[in-house]
Amino acid sequence: MTDVLIDGKSLTLDDVESIARPEHDRALVYTDVAQKASRRSRDLKLDLIATGQPIYGVTTGFGDSVTNQIAPGKAAELQRHLVTYHLNGTGPLAPAEVVRATLLIRANCLARGNSGVQPDVIHLLLDFLRHDVLPQVPERGSVGASGDLVPLCYVANALFGEGEVTYRGETRDTADVLRELGLRPVVPEAKDGLGLINGTSFSAGFAVLATQDAARIAEVTDVATALASEALLGNRGHFDAFIHEQRPHPGQLASAARLTELLDGSGLSLPHDQVVDANDPLDGKGHGRLTRSIQDRYSLRCAPHVAGVLRDTVAWVDRWLETEINASTDNPLFDAESGRVHSGGNFYAGHVVQAMDSLKVAVASVADLLDRQLQLLVDAKFNNGLTENLIPRTDGDAWEKGLHHGFKGMQLACSALTAEALKHAGPATVHSRSTEAHNQDKVSMAPIAARDARRIVELTREVAAIQLLAACQALDLRGLDDMAPRTRAVHTLIRSHVPFVDADRRMDGDIRKVVALITSGALVAAAHGHAPVAA
């Protein structure tokens, strides 16, 4: 694997995920050019401090306290106070993968060389990642401008050798871990604390991982839709390229093409002309009734229009986030070329929150789509001859008749998961609140939106797992011989982990197993005809 360059310019979303969810040993390289830029920025900061001029957050107080100027000799101590008074986060601790992403993004943003922090700050952030020393960061407490102050303070506190970290599965004092590893804590100087906390890296960490996962949800949605189309004896002509080329949104085109590929060779989901031919001709009669509908319900017919929106949303969100993770997102910024310091608002996470609010809606809409497909599968009024709730077929007056309820409970659970996803899809952007003595009188709410996006992705994975289990059950009842090769491979994979439901039993474990297949990439790999991936 190639090195991950820390230079403030070339970090990718895949880089972030590879470090946050380490499967490969990738070296982190703080480039010589970036180190030089960081040193020049820091030197300028020190020169400007020596002039005695007020510099925001360096020789002045913070936020509304900007009118309090302090002597240069107090500047370093001010940074410790900044970190200490923000250590008031609440809620659950951020997952380890989010903390890793946060550390990486913060290091990269500072490495751009405009923040005035000493290079030791960046070096130690990277050392934390190399040794997997993870500050314990509460999720709640940030409004996303002036940056993610509260959560990032827990990162800064750890770099200063304070607080607690997770190391090798244990919670320990940071100072003890650093001593054991032969690492020295940062001795903060002017701007170091502010440079660490006055940025969007915590929100961006959540956002990058949620977006990477959402892209996979789009793929899974096409697979699940293909299985449902076969189970319900659908019309795969709905995915014909001609239709979608007349409304050529890239995501819609991609989803329709994928469904066409998945259903190629199916004897269950038929091309439009074969669906038409399956019905008896009128033969001169004035009226007749089709035995096989030539149009499927919207949750099948319009699936590319729903999954396509998610695909296209991910595409532009990726671009926005790649800009964000390679940006100077703190304040003030030091321009070594002109020798000037600039006060601004790059800590405002407006692009992150807009991206996450949009992603939330697109993913939740997919959850709703899959939930509607499930409803068609389990309801005997709509499932084209399958049993009610997909119970096993029983003959005559067998003892089992009337006892089993199949996927009735699964449909209820899926409805609850979908409702929760839809509930969290409301925009966080519009809930800006004036805070900090009306200095922060317009804030982004990006961390709330990004956390919600992560939750909606998790819920939608569970919805997809239930739909896939139901579709496999339905296909077992329908008969597997006429399935398309690619969908048959998916069915085989799921059945290698979860058996047919031949009697009422608990199915929470089944859901977890299919979620694992989705998360690992094994399910999509099977649909592509690749070898199974261990879940």
Side-chain angles (χ1 to χ4, degrees):
M1 296 292 290
T2 58
D3 297 338
V4 177
L5 300 183
I6 308 302
D7 59 8
K9 299 176 181 178
S10 56
L11 191 66
T12 68
L13 305 193
D14 287 342
D15 289 337
V16 174
E17 184 176 26
S18 72
I19 299 301
R21 298 166 172 165
E23 295 182 3
H24 306 284
D25 187 14
R26 301 187 67 188
L28 299 166
V29 178
Y30 181 16
T31 67
D32 291 340
V33 172
Q35 291 189 54
K36 181 180 179 181
S38 297
R39 287 193 296 269
R40 290 182 67 197
S41 176
R42 182 212 181 200
D43 290 345
L44 174 59
K45 173 195 69 179
L46 296 176
D47 290 344
L48 292 175
I49 290 173
T51 68
Q53 67 175 280
I55 303 171
Y56 171 74
V58 177
T59 55
T60 75
F62 306 105
D64 184 60
S65 302
V66 65
T67 53
N68 294 323
Q69 185 176 0
I70 63 171
K74 296 182 178 182
E77 185 177 349
L78 181 67
Q79 299 301 301
R80 286 195 180 273
H81 283 268
L82 170 69
V83 170
T84 300
Y85 80 75
H86 279 107
L87 295 172
N88 50 23
T90 64
L93 294 176
E97 62 182 26
V98 172
V99 177
R100 293 189 194 102
T102 300
L103 295 174
L104 179 64
I105 294 167
R106 197 76 217 116
N108 190 62
C109 291
L110 295 175
R112 194 171 173 88
N114 300 309
S115 300
V117 302
Q118 54 181 314
D120 286 352
V121 170
I122 300 163
H123 282 299
L124 192 54
L125 281 167
L126 298 178
D127 282 335
F128 271 39
L129 284 169
R130 292 183 183 109
H131 295 283
D132 208 29
V133 177
L134 302 181
Q136 296 198 314
V137 183
E139 287 190 0
R140 299 180 190 144
S142 173
V143 293
S146 173
D148 296 316
L149 298 175
V150 170
L152 288 178
C153 265
Y154 288 83
V155 173
N157 200 47
L159 292 180
F160 295 169
E162 304 291 338
E164 294 179 324
V165 293
T166 301
Y167 178 60
R168 293 185 174 177
E170 296 182 356
T171 300
R172 297 178 55 187
D173 287 340
T174 304
D176 291 341
V177 172
L178 294 180
R179 192 178 305 112
E180 182 177 312
L181 294 171
L183 300 174
R184 293 183 178 180
V186 169
V187 178
E189 64 179 34
K191 182 64 199 300
D192 283 353
L194 188 58
L196 280 164
I197 75 170
N198 190 211
T200 64
S201 303
F202 184 68
S203 297
F206 268 102
V208 168
L209 297 176
T211 303
Q212 295 285 90
D213 290 339
R216 297 182 185 102
I217 290 289
E219 290 272 357
V220 170
T221 300
D222 293 335
V223 175
T225 297
L227 266 68
S229 181
E230 289 194 301
L232 293 167
L233 301 179
N235 180 345
R236 72 175 189 259
H238 299 323
F239 314 130
D240 190 275
F242 174 82
I243 298 170
H244 302 279
E245 286 166 359
Q246 313 317 310
R247 189 174 182 263
H249 292 293
Q252 180 180 329
L253 286 168
S255 184
R258 185 75 179 112
L259 282 161
T260 297
E261 179 184 40
L262 288 163
L263 290 169
D264 184 39
S266 176
L268 297 172
S269 178
L270 300 178
H272 182 76
D273 56 352
Q274 291 185 30
V275 173
V276 172
D277 290 345
N279 291 285
D280 296 329
L282 280 176
D283 287 334
K285 292 180 292 188
H287 176 266
R289 190 167 187 87
L290 299 177
T291 56
R292 183 159 178 166
S293 175
I294 62 171
Q295 281 199 162
D296 296 336
R297 288 176 171 79
Y298 284 15
S299 61
L300 289 180
R301 194 186 343 154
C302 300
H305 308 76
V306 178
V309 169
L310 176 54
R311 286 177 179 270
D312 285 337
T313 301
V314 166
W316 66 259
V317 167
D318 279 355
R319 294 194 299 272
W320 281 19
L321 291 181
E322 196 150 297
T323 297
E324 192 75 19
I325 67 176
N326 288 288
S328 295
T329 58
D330 57 307
N331 175 57
L333 299 177
F334 296 89
D335 180 0
E337 293 299 323
S338 70
R340 299 172 60 196
V341 61
H342 299 268
S343 288
N346 278 3
F347 48 70
Y348 193 95
H351 283 79
V352 178
V353 71
Q354 185 67 35
M356 289 299 98
D357 276 349
S358 298
L359 188 74
K360 285 158 48 179
V361 172
V363 176
S365 184
V366 161
D368 190 42
L369 177 86
L370 297 175
D371 179 62
R372 294 300 82 209
Q373 292 177 1
L374 175 67
Q375 178 63 41
L376 297 178
L377 288 166
V378 300
D379 193 331
K381 295 187 294 296
F382 306 109
N383 64 16
N384 289 330
L386 296 172
T387 57
E388 61 182 20
N389 298 307
L390 306 178
I391 59 175
R393 300 186 189 280
T394 52
D395 296 324
D397 194 30
W399 177 260
E400 294 294 306
K401 208 173 189 71
L403 289 179
H404 298 295
H405 293 78
F407 276 69
K408 183 185 286 288
M410 289 283 263
Q411 194 273 325
L412 291 169
C414 191
S415 184
L417 295 168
T418 302
E420 187 171 350
L422 294 170
K423 170 184 175 292
H424 287 288
T429 316
V430 299
H431 293 288
S432 172
R433 300 176 58 79
S434 182
T435 187
E436 202 264 301
H438 297 294
N439 172 57
Q440 299 179 16
D441 57 351
K442 173 64 176 170
V443 294
S444 75
M445 297 299 184
I448 296 172
R451 293 196 333 259
D452 281 348
R454 178 186 176 89
R455 178 180 295 184
I456 290 171
V457 166
E458 290 173 346
L459 290 165
T460 303
R461 264 197 298 255
E462 293 170 354
V463 169
I466 293 174
Q467 190 271 16
L468 285 161
L469 286 163
C472 287
Q473 180 83 1
L475 286 161
D476 284 319
L477 295 170
R478 182 76 71 192
L480 306 178
D481 291 344
D482 289 330
M483 289 184 69
R486 292 180 185 275
T487 54
R488 182 68 179 271
V490 173
H491 178 277
T492 299
L493 175 68
I494 291 175
R495 280 289 169 259
S496 71
H497 290 78
V498 178
F500 176 76
V501 181
D502 58 1
D504 285 347
R505 58 175 173 79
R506 64 184 299 168
M507 286 190 274
D508 48 358
D510 297 6
I511 298 170
R512 286 193 294 272
K513 288 175 182 176
V514 177
V515 166
L517 293 174
I518 293 170
T519 304
S520 71
L523 187 123
V524 169
H528 280 289
H530 299 157
V533 178

